[in-house]
Amino acid sequence: MSINFAKKPLIYNNDLKTKKLINLYVNMLKPRMIEERMLLLLRQGKISKWFSGIGQEAIAVGVTLALKKDEYILPMHRNLGVFTTRNLPLSKLFAQWFGKASGFTKGRDRSFHFGTQAYKIIGMISHLGPQLGIADGIALASKLKNKNTVTAVFTGEGGTSEGDFHEALNVASVWQLPVLFCIENNGYGLSTPTSEQYNCEHLADRGLGYGMEAHIIDGNNIIEVYTKIKKIAKSMRENPRPVLVEFKTFRMRGHEEASGTKYVPEALLKTWAKKDPLKNYEQFLKNKNIITDAFEANIKAEIDAEIKHNLDLAFTENNVVFNESNELNDVFKYFDFHEFNPKTEEKELRFVDAISEGLKQSMQQHKYLVILGQDIAEYGGVFKVTEGFVNQFGKERIKNTPICESAIIETAMGLSIAGMKAVVELQFADFISSGFNPVVNYLAKSHYRWQQNADVVLRMPCGADVGAGPFHSQTNEAWFTKTPGLKVVYPAFPYDAKGLLNTAINDPNPVLFFEHKALYRSVRQLVPTNYYTIPFGSASVIKKGTQVTVISYGAAVHWALETLTKNPDISADVIDLRTLQPLDTETIFNSVKKTGRAIILQEDSLFGGVASDVSALITENCFEYLDAPILRVASINTPIPFAKPLEDGYLPKNRFEIALKKLINY
Ligand SMILES: Cc1ncc(C[n+]2csc(CCOP(=O)(O)OP(=O)(O)O)c2C)c(N)n1
C-alpha cells in the first residue's frame, strides 16, 4: 500500500450541518491567527521560542471537537488547536507563554508544558514519550470506574521511536484500554526525515504488531479528521479498546522558529502548501456558499480583537517575583497527615509480613487504590508480598504488568491524574533505572509545575548482602533524594515499615519506599494488628548514649546495632532516619549537640550518598559542639560484586567498627 497524501485531491464530504461546518472553520482559524501573531512577537523579540503548528491545525481541532468535553486530551507542542478549541482563557495561555504569574505554571515552565484539570488537558513534558503511558493510566481509571470515556494522546512520528511509545501501546493493548493514540506524521522530527526515523511504510502498520486497530487519516482535511475520529471514538466508548491513528500531514515551518527549514526540499514545501487545511477548507465553504467574504472578515476581526485584548492583559501583568517560600511550598501537595494510633493487640511479624499487612490494610482503606507490578497477582510477587491479594481484591486492583517500568510508572501517574491511587511494585529497586525518566521528570515535577500531584508509591526491594551481584543489590535512594519533588522512605524495622507504608499511601505525593531484601525474612518484631500510620520526617532514636551519635538507615541500622552489642563499653545514641526526604534534622542536631561526635553509616557507596549531606548539615549547624571530625562509613566506590568475599569487602559492615573506635579515641 502506498499513499502519497500530498498528491491526493482534497475531497470534502458535505454530510455535516452548516453550523458544524462553520464551527470547524472558526476553531481552525483561531489557532492560526494566534500563531501568526506569535510569529510577529517572536520577530520583535517579545517571546523567546515558538513551535509552529501551522498546517497541522485540522488534527488538533478535529480530534478535540470529536471528543466529549470531559474526555482527557494529552497534546503536544504543535497542538495549540486543542487548547483553543477547549476554550482556555487566552490571557492565561499568553501569560503562560510569557512566564507570568497568572499562567498555568506561574512562570515555572514554558510553552505547552502544563496541564489543566478544569479543561481536561494534560500537557507534555519535554521528553515527548512519557505522556503516552500517562494516557494509559487515565484510560485505566476510566475503565475501572466504568466511565466509558476515550483518552486521546498525541505524538509526532519522531516520538514514536522512543521506548515509551512501544511500552504504552503494548500496555494499552494487553489491557484493552480506550486510548486513542494519535500520531501526527509531519515528515520531520527536528531535521530528521521520516526515512531516518523508522523503517516501515506507514506508522499505522505498527498497530498490527500490537494487536491494535489502526487507521490512516488525511490530517489536512478537517472533515475527514472530525468525522472519522467521531466515529472511532463512539465505537471505543461502546467497546473499550485502544486505536492507533496515523495522521498524514506536514510541518510547514522550522522545528522551532530559529532553526528554519533549509534542510526541507523546496518542492515538498510547495506541494504541501497547496494542502493548507485552513485555506482549502475556507475555499470549500465559500464555494458551497456556506460562508462569504464578509463573514470571513467579520470573524477574523472578532478573533483579532480577542487576541489583542488578551495579549494586552498578559503583557501588562507585572513580571513574576521570586519568593523562596512560595517556590518551596509548591514542590509538594499539602499533605494533611492523619494519625491512626497503633492499638495494643500485637503479633510478631517478619519485615516482609509487616509490609504485606500494611499494603493489605491500605487496600481496604482506599477503594480507589490499585497495585501494579510484575508477577504480583496469582504469583504473589517475587518476594510474596502480595500473596493472596488477588483473591481478596480481584485482578482489576491487583494488576500483573508487562515488563515495562516506564509505561507502568506513567500509568500510575495517569491513575493519579484521574483521581486514583497507585502502588507500583518494582521487582527489584535496580530496575527503576528502566523507569527513571517518568519518576524524576514527571512524578517529581508535576506539582511544582502545574499543581498536579502524583499519588503514587513506588515499592523498592533493594540492597546487598544477599549475594546477588551488580543488578539485584543496589540501594539507589540517593538517585532520588537528590531530586526535589520526591519523598524517600527507608524503614529498618517491621513496625516502622507497616506504619510508614500506610502513610506513604495516604500521602498524595510520589513516595519511593525502600524495602531491604535482606531484612524481609531476617528481622521480626511485635507489630500492632490494626491499621496505623507513622508521620514522615521523624527519625527514631533506638538507643541512647553519651559518647557518640550513630546515624543510619535501612539494613545498616542493624549492622550498627550488632557492632555496639559487640562493644558494650561504647555509649551511643543510635538514630534510625526512617525517612530520608523529609529528613529529621532536629533529632540529628539535638543528639550531636549532646554527644559531640557523629558517625554516619550508609550501605550505598560513599560519594554523593545521603551520609555526605547529613555530614554537611551537621557541620553547618553543630560545628561548635563537635569534638571530632564527622565520619562517613559506606561501601567502596565500585559496582556491587557477586561473590561473597568480594561483597563482604565492598560493604562497610567491618569497616564501621574500626571507624567507630577511631572516632571515640580521637
Ligand atoms: C527525549 C528527548 N530527546 C530529544 C528531544 C529534542 N526534541 C524535541 S522535539 C524533537 C523532534 C520531535 O519530532 P516529532 O515527534 O516528529 O514531533 P514534531 O516536532 O515533528 O511535531 C526533538 C528531537 C526531546 N525533547 N526529548
Side-chain angles (χ1 to χ4, degrees), residues 51-52 56 76-78 124-129 155-160 162 184-192 197 251 255 437:
F51 296 92
S52 175
Q56 299 181 218
M76 291 293 291
H77 47 296
R78 301 192 200 286
M124 64 185 291
I125 66 166
S126 290
H127 298 67
L128 313 168
T155 176
E157 84 289 346
T160 67
E162 289 191 82
E184 269 180 271
N185 192 340
N186 63 6
Y188 285 83
L190 216 154
S191 74
T192 305
Q197 193 69 250
R251 202 194 67 205
H255 167 67
N437 186 32

Short mmCIF file of all heavy atoms in Angstrom, two decimals, residues 51-52 56 76-78 124-129 155-160 162 184-192 197 251 255 437, ligand 1:
data_model
loop_
_atom_site.label_atom_id
_atom_site.label_comp_id
_atom_site.label_asym_id
_atom_site.label_seq_id
_atom_site.Cartn_x
_atom_site.Cartn_y
_atom_site.Cartn_z
N PHE A 51 7.03 26.90 18.64
CA PHE A 51 6.92 25.68 17.86
C PHE A 51 5.65 25.80 17.03
O PHE A 51 4.55 25.84 17.57
CB PHE A 51 6.81 24.45 18.77
CG PHE A 51 8.04 24.23 19.60
CD1 PHE A 51 8.16 24.78 20.87
CD2 PHE A 51 9.10 23.48 19.10
CE1 PHE A 51 9.30 24.58 21.64
CE2 PHE A 51 10.24 23.27 19.86
CZ PHE A 51 10.34 23.82 21.13
N SER A 52 5.81 25.86 15.73
CA SER A 52 4.65 26.15 14.90
C SER A 52 3.83 24.90 14.55
O SER A 52 4.37 23.85 14.22
CB SER A 52 5.11 26.81 13.59
OG SER A 52 4.00 26.98 12.74
N GLN A 56 -1.09 22.13 10.48
CA GLN A 56 -1.47 20.90 11.18
C GLN A 56 -2.73 21.10 12.03
O GLN A 56 -3.11 20.22 12.80
CB GLN A 56 -0.33 20.41 12.07
CG GLN A 56 0.95 20.08 11.30
CD GLN A 56 2.09 19.58 12.18
OE1 GLN A 56 3.23 19.91 11.95
NE2 GLN A 56 1.78 18.77 13.20
N MET A 76 0.57 17.81 22.22
CA MET A 76 2.00 18.07 22.05
C MET A 76 2.24 19.56 21.77
O MET A 76 1.32 20.36 21.76
CB MET A 76 2.54 17.25 20.86
CG MET A 76 2.58 15.77 21.10
SD MET A 76 3.78 15.33 22.36
CE MET A 76 5.30 15.71 21.50
N HIS A 77 3.51 19.84 21.42
CA HIS A 77 3.91 21.24 21.27
C HIS A 77 3.34 21.92 20.03
O HIS A 77 3.46 23.12 19.89
CB HIS A 77 5.44 21.36 21.27
CG HIS A 77 6.14 20.37 20.38
ND1 HIS A 77 6.10 19.02 20.59
CD2 HIS A 77 6.90 20.54 19.28
CE1 HIS A 77 6.81 18.40 19.66
NE2 HIS A 77 7.30 19.30 18.84
N ARG A 78 2.75 21.16 19.10
CA ARG A 78 2.16 21.81 17.91
C ARG A 78 0.64 21.79 17.94
O ARG A 78 -0.01 21.97 16.92
CB ARG A 78 2.66 21.13 16.63
CG ARG A 78 4.16 21.19 16.50
CD ARG A 78 4.70 20.80 15.16
NE ARG A 78 6.10 20.43 15.29
CZ ARG A 78 7.11 21.29 15.48
NH1 ARG A 78 6.88 22.57 15.50
NH2 ARG A 78 8.34 20.86 15.62
N MET A 124 2.32 18.02 27.81
CA MET A 124 3.51 17.19 27.64
C MET A 124 4.62 17.61 28.60
O MET A 124 4.59 18.69 29.15
CB MET A 124 4.02 17.37 26.22
CG MET A 124 4.47 18.80 25.97
SD MET A 124 4.96 19.16 24.26
CE MET A 124 6.45 18.23 24.10
N ILE A 125 5.61 16.71 28.77
CA ILE A 125 6.91 17.18 29.27
C ILE A 125 7.85 17.14 28.07
O ILE A 125 7.56 16.48 27.06
CB ILE A 125 7.46 16.37 30.47
CG1 ILE A 125 7.80 14.92 30.10
CG2 ILE A 125 6.49 16.43 31.63
CD1 ILE A 125 8.65 14.22 31.16
N SER A 126 8.97 17.81 28.16
CA SER A 126 9.86 17.93 27.00
C SER A 126 10.24 16.58 26.41
O SER A 126 10.49 16.48 25.21
CB SER A 126 11.15 18.65 27.40
OG SER A 126 10.86 19.99 27.65
N HIS A 127 10.27 15.56 27.24
CA HIS A 127 10.78 14.26 26.79
C HIS A 127 9.84 13.52 25.82
O HIS A 127 10.12 12.38 25.44
CB HIS A 127 11.07 13.39 28.01
CG HIS A 127 12.14 13.99 28.87
ND1 HIS A 127 11.93 15.16 29.57
CD2 HIS A 127 13.41 13.62 29.12
CE1 HIS A 127 13.04 15.47 30.21
NE2 HIS A 127 13.95 14.56 29.95
N LEU A 128 8.75 14.13 25.45
CA LEU A 128 7.82 13.65 24.40
C LEU A 128 7.05 12.37 24.76
O LEU A 128 5.84 12.39 24.87
CB LEU A 128 8.55 13.45 23.06
CG LEU A 128 9.48 14.56 22.57
CD1 LEU A 128 10.33 14.08 21.39
CD2 LEU A 128 8.73 15.82 22.21
N GLY A 129 7.75 11.26 24.92
CA GLY A 129 7.09 9.96 25.04
C GLY A 129 6.27 9.71 26.29
O GLY A 129 5.25 9.01 26.23
N THR A 155 1.36 12.25 19.59
CA THR A 155 2.82 12.18 19.46
C THR A 155 3.18 12.54 18.03
O THR A 155 2.37 12.33 17.12
CB THR A 155 3.37 10.78 19.81
OG1 THR A 155 4.79 10.77 19.57
CG2 THR A 155 2.76 9.68 18.95
N GLY A 156 4.40 13.04 17.84
CA GLY A 156 4.90 13.20 16.48
C GLY A 156 5.47 11.86 16.02
O GLY A 156 5.61 10.93 16.83
N GLU A 157 5.80 11.76 14.75
CA GLU A 157 6.38 10.49 14.29
C GLU A 157 7.76 10.27 14.90
O GLU A 157 8.16 9.13 15.15
CB GLU A 157 6.43 10.42 12.75
CG GLU A 157 7.62 11.08 12.06
CD GLU A 157 7.57 12.59 12.11
OE1 GLU A 157 6.52 13.15 12.45
OE2 GLU A 157 8.60 13.23 11.82
N GLY A 158 8.46 11.38 15.24
CA GLY A 158 9.75 11.24 15.91
C GLY A 158 9.59 10.56 17.27
O GLY A 158 10.35 9.66 17.63
N GLY A 159 8.58 10.99 18.00
CA GLY A 159 8.32 10.44 19.33
C GLY A 159 8.01 8.94 19.30
O GLY A 159 8.20 8.25 20.30
N THR A 160 7.57 8.44 18.16
CA THR A 160 7.23 7.01 18.11
C THR A 160 8.47 6.13 18.18
O THR A 160 8.36 4.92 18.35
CB THR A 160 6.45 6.63 16.82
OG1 THR A 160 7.32 6.79 15.69
CG2 THR A 160 5.20 7.46 16.65
N GLU A 162 10.66 6.44 20.49
CA GLU A 162 11.02 6.30 21.90
C GLU A 162 10.40 5.03 22.48
O GLU A 162 9.31 4.61 22.08
CB GLU A 162 10.52 7.51 22.69
CG GLU A 162 11.29 8.78 22.40
CD GLU A 162 10.94 9.88 23.40
OE1 GLU A 162 11.50 9.89 24.49
OE2 GLU A 162 10.09 10.72 23.07
N GLU A 184 0.97 12.31 14.69
CA GLU A 184 0.97 13.35 13.66
C GLU A 184 2.24 13.17 12.85
O GLU A 184 3.31 13.59 13.29
CB GLU A 184 0.96 14.73 14.30
CG GLU A 184 -0.43 15.25 14.53
CD GLU A 184 -0.41 16.61 15.16
OE1 GLU A 184 -0.40 16.69 16.39
OE2 GLU A 184 -0.43 17.60 14.42
N ASN A 185 2.13 12.56 11.73
CA ASN A 185 3.31 12.33 10.90
C ASN A 185 3.51 13.53 9.98
O ASN A 185 2.89 13.64 8.92
CB ASN A 185 3.15 11.04 10.08
CG ASN A 185 4.47 10.64 9.44
OD1 ASN A 185 5.37 11.47 9.30
ND2 ASN A 185 4.58 9.38 9.06
N ASN A 186 4.38 14.43 10.44
CA ASN A 186 4.56 15.68 9.69
C ASN A 186 5.89 15.72 8.93
O ASN A 186 6.42 16.77 8.63
CB ASN A 186 4.43 16.90 10.61
CG ASN A 186 5.50 16.94 11.68
OD1 ASN A 186 6.41 16.13 11.70
ND2 ASN A 186 5.38 17.91 12.58
N GLY A 187 6.43 14.55 8.67
CA GLY A 187 7.59 14.48 7.77
C GLY A 187 8.96 14.64 8.39
O GLY A 187 9.93 14.05 7.93
N TYR A 188 9.06 15.44 9.43
CA TYR A 188 10.36 15.71 10.04
C TYR A 188 10.26 15.71 11.56
O TYR A 188 9.28 16.21 12.13
CB TYR A 188 10.91 17.07 9.60
CG TYR A 188 11.42 17.04 8.17
CD1 TYR A 188 10.56 17.19 7.10
CD2 TYR A 188 12.78 16.81 7.91
CE1 TYR A 188 11.02 17.12 5.79
CE2 TYR A 188 13.24 16.75 6.61
CZ TYR A 188 12.36 16.90 5.56
OH TYR A 188 12.83 16.83 4.27
N GLY A 189 11.30 15.17 12.21
CA GLY A 189 11.49 15.32 13.65
C GLY A 189 12.74 16.16 13.78
O GLY A 189 13.83 15.68 13.51
N LEU A 190 12.57 17.41 14.12
CA LEU A 190 13.62 18.41 14.01
C LEU A 190 14.15 18.38 12.57
O LEU A 190 13.38 18.65 11.65
CB LEU A 190 14.71 18.20 15.08
CG LEU A 190 15.32 19.49 15.64
CD1 LEU A 190 15.88 19.31 17.03
CD2 LEU A 190 16.29 20.15 14.73
N SER A 191 15.38 17.94 12.31
CA SER A 191 15.82 17.92 10.90
C SER A 191 15.77 16.52 10.31
O SER A 191 16.14 16.31 9.16
CB SER A 191 17.26 18.43 10.81
OG SER A 191 18.14 17.42 11.30
N THR A 192 15.30 15.54 11.11
CA THR A 192 15.37 14.14 10.69
C THR A 192 14.14 13.76 9.87
O THR A 192 13.01 13.79 10.39
CB THR A 192 15.49 13.23 11.93
OG1 THR A 192 16.61 13.67 12.69
CG2 THR A 192 15.66 11.77 11.54
N GLN A 197 13.94 7.97 10.47
CA GLN A 197 13.27 7.82 11.77
C GLN A 197 12.72 6.41 11.97
O GLN A 197 12.77 5.85 13.05
CB GLN A 197 12.12 8.84 11.86
CG GLN A 197 11.53 9.02 13.23
CD GLN A 197 12.48 9.70 14.21
OE1 GLN A 197 12.99 9.09 15.13
NE2 GLN A 197 12.74 10.98 13.97
N ARG A 251 5.04 19.49 8.38
CA ARG A 251 5.47 20.61 9.21
C ARG A 251 5.92 21.73 8.28
O ARG A 251 6.96 21.62 7.63
CB ARG A 251 6.63 20.16 10.13
CG ARG A 251 6.80 21.04 11.36
CD ARG A 251 8.13 20.76 12.01
NE ARG A 251 9.22 21.19 11.17
CZ ARG A 251 10.45 20.69 11.21
NH1 ARG A 251 10.75 19.74 12.07
NH2 ARG A 251 11.39 21.14 10.40
N HIS A 255 11.52 23.44 13.00
CA HIS A 255 11.20 22.70 14.24
C HIS A 255 10.75 23.69 15.29
O HIS A 255 9.68 23.58 15.88
CB HIS A 255 12.44 21.93 14.70
CG HIS A 255 12.30 21.41 16.09
ND1 HIS A 255 11.39 20.44 16.41
CD2 HIS A 255 12.94 21.74 17.26
CE1 HIS A 255 11.47 20.19 17.72
NE2 HIS A 255 12.39 20.97 18.24
N ASN A 437 13.03 8.07 33.90
CA ASN A 437 12.55 9.34 33.33
C ASN A 437 11.21 9.79 33.92
O ASN A 437 11.09 10.91 34.41
CB ASN A 437 12.50 9.22 31.81
CG ASN A 437 12.14 10.54 31.15
OD1 ASN A 437 12.48 11.60 31.65
ND2 ASN A 437 11.43 10.48 30.03
C1 LIG B 1 13.92 12.58 24.94
C2 LIG B 1 14.10 13.75 24.03
N1 LIG B 1 15.01 13.70 23.05
C3 LIG B 1 15.16 14.75 22.22
C4 LIG B 1 14.40 15.87 22.34
C5 LIG B 1 14.60 17.08 21.42
N2 LIG B 1 13.43 17.22 20.53
C6 LIG B 1 12.36 17.95 20.86
S1 LIG B 1 11.13 17.85 19.77
C7 LIG B 1 12.06 16.86 18.75
C8 LIG B 1 11.51 16.38 17.45
C9 LIG B 1 10.25 15.66 17.68
O1 LIG B 1 9.77 15.18 16.47
P1 LIG B 1 8.32 14.65 16.33
O2 LIG B 1 7.99 13.72 17.45
O3 LIG B 1 8.16 14.11 14.97
O4 LIG B 1 7.39 15.90 16.55
P2 LIG B 1 7.35 17.26 15.72
O5 LIG B 1 8.29 18.21 16.40
O6 LIG B 1 7.76 16.95 14.33
O7 LIG B 1 5.96 17.72 15.80
C10 LIG B 1 13.30 16.62 19.31
C11 LIG B 1 14.37 15.80 18.70
C12 LIG B 1 13.47 15.87 23.40
N3 LIG B 1 12.68 16.94 23.63
N4 LIG B 1 13.32 14.82 24.20
#
